[in-house]
Amino acid sequence: MNKSRILVVDDEPFIVSLAVASLKRRFSDRYEYVGKTNAEDAVSWLIKEAASRNNVFAVLTDFKMPPGDDGRSVVRNTRRIFPRAFVALW
């Protein structure tokens, strides 16, 4: 059985790495952790996961991610694609 996934989105790769490392330390092998550095890649990933019938447990996203779409787009699309997922915007 596939593990539920947690997606971390931030335009700063260091923040993504730090958040993923912290989540792994806290939850260990309970989830699969994925990091993306822009909203467009994050939304594409969410669509692919839904098509593959994978479960996304949580999405943690930065608010400002220039240029292009921002965290609001990630939140809006997460709610549409995975309405039961926990979403945090920072």
Side-chain angles (χ1 to χ4, degrees):
M1 181 172 177
N2 289 339
K3 293 180 187 178
S4 291
R5 288 143 171 84
I6 296 178
L7 173 63
V8 177
V9 189
D10 196 296
D11 58 315
E12 296 184 45
F14 173 76
I15 299 296
V16 172
S17 296
L18 183 65
V20 167
S22 295
L23 289 164
K24 282 182 180 177
R25 212 171 26 257
R26 170 66 175 94
F27 297 110
S28 188
D29 292 334
R30 193 166 165 193
Y31 300 100
E32 184 176 315
Y33 307 94
V34 177
K36 298 293 178 185
T37 55
N38 64 64
E40 292 84 1
D41 287 349
V43 172
S44 293
W45 181 85
L46 288 166
I47 292 167
K48 179 183 79 72
E49 292 302 298
S52 299
R53 296 187 176 264
N54 292 324
N55 183 48
V56 174
F57 174 74
V59 175
L60 313 174
T61 184
D62 186 15
F63 180 74
K64 278 189 146 184
M65 291 184 281
D69 289 343
D70 61 16
R72 289 176 294 196
S73 173
V74 176
V75 170
R76 188 172 43 253
N77 282 287
T78 301
R79 290 281 178 235
R80 180 177 56 82
I81 299 166
F82 291 99
R84 299 176 96 182
F86 172 81
V87 178
L89 181 69
W90 70 74

